[in-house]
Amino acid sequence: MSEVSVRFLGSGDAFGDGGRFQACLQLRGAGADVLVDCGVSSLVAMKQAGVDPSAIGFVLLTHLHGDHFGGLPFLILDGQFSRRELPLVIAGPAGTGERLDRTMEVLFPGSSSVRRRFAVEVVELAPGETSVVGPARVLPFEVVHESGAPSLGLRVGYGGRVVAFSGDTEWTDVLVELSRGADLFVCEAYTFDKAVPFHLSYRNLEHERARLEVRRLVLTHPGPELLANLDRVSDEVAEDGMVVEL
């Protein structure tokens, strides 16, 4: 069984509260590295952490909001200008390919169809169906978060370990199944106790905590209310640069 690490390149919400980068995690240790989510600030986060963007061959997306997928145009253009040759495989919910092309054209007109030295392949993930994406086996679950396309929680097998990602969602019993037996569950806790549609509060998660059969739980995507109440949170809260060894 491989030694696997999970690095939080970005652990923040959409608005950079607490000075955090947007959602981006790096799985390492099973051959090729895999990113989970790639928010707008992720290219900066990678370069600050000393991660070579052109060495990232696989990106898994939970959903298509800018703070989770909006860094992809920058990752692709960085590869183009740095003469990248390694193919890039992006796996996300239905509509990922179309949304990526439209976003690239808004930000950098003509960039979606330019010739590159490397291939970009988009794989669309279907809830309930396992997909093999490079070194990862990915089982998606549909969660409750409006994003103009299905929003997914991801159960990822990598290097003999299982890492579950809630993505953004309000509480749903799907999270129990998604995370069951996982070595690590990376779960959103956007607020402390304030109810925000399509997001999870820490109080709500705490109420359901006994149902989560996970070896380790790390909270992510904190907003200002959660950050103001960290002394009242008994679970781990991720920070940019944090590494979890599995």
Side-chain angles (χ1 to χ4, degrees), residues 24-234:
C24 185
L25 296 96
Q26 179 189 22
L27 304 183
R28 304 189 67 188
D33 292 0
V34 175
L35 290 188
V36 179
D37 284 334
C38 187
V40 170
S41 59
S42 297
L43 185 64
V44 179
M46 281 185 264
K47 293 189 175 184
Q48 181 170 293
V51 175
D52 179 5
S54 291
I56 299 295
F58 305 94
V59 181
L60 311 178
L61 301 174
T62 60
H63 64 287
L64 302 183
H65 276 154
D67 59 319
H68 289 257
F69 107 108
L72 289 176
F74 301 94
L75 178 63
I76 292 169
L77 263 69
D78 181 79
Q80 180 182 333
F81 282 90
S82 64
R83 302 182 70 80
R84 172 186 178 130
E85 295 185 355
L86 180 70
L88 177 63
V89 179
I90 299 163
T96 293
E98 179 186 0
R99 186 82 66 91
L100 176 59
D101 285 349
R102 285 195 283 122
T103 303
M104 292 190 71
E105 287 303 311
V106 168
L107 296 176
F108 303 100
S111 64
S112 67
S113 57
V114 70
R115 290 187 62 184
R116 309 182 189 97
R117 297 167 64 91
F118 63 98
V120 176
E121 177 186 356
V122 175
V123 176
E124 296 197 341
L125 303 172
E129 297 182 11
T130 299
S131 296
V132 177
V133 183
R137 291 180 60 84
V138 186
L139 178 59
F141 292 73
E142 189 160 0
V143 294
V144 185
H145 187 73
E146 289 293 334
S147 60
S151 291
L152 305 174
L154 301 179
R155 183 178 176 90
V156 181
Y158 179 84
R161 304 296 198 274
V162 174
V163 185
F165 302 89
S166 71
D168 288 0
T169 182
E170 63 186 55
W171 176 262
T172 166
D173 287 350
V174 163
L175 297 178
V176 177
E177 184 180 357
L178 165 71
S179 63
R180 184 175 289 117
D183 296 285
L184 172 67
F185 182 28
V186 179
C187 187
E188 179 202 18
Y190 180 52
T191 63
F192 182 71
D193 57 15
K194 181 180 179 181
V196 174
F198 308 121
H199 287 280
L200 188 55
S201 73
Y202 178 68
R203 284 298 191 207
N204 198 177
L205 180 63
E206 189 178 42
H207 179 72
E208 304 288 351
R209 180 68 175 85
R211 301 175 63 195
L212 300 176
E213 300 172 10
V214 297
R215 291 179 175 83
R216 187 168 178 179
L217 172 70
V218 175
L219 308 179
T220 191
H221 202 277
E225 189 204 21
L226 191 284
L227 291 170
N229 286 278
L230 288 178
D231 59 335
R232 301 167 67 190
V233 175
S234 56

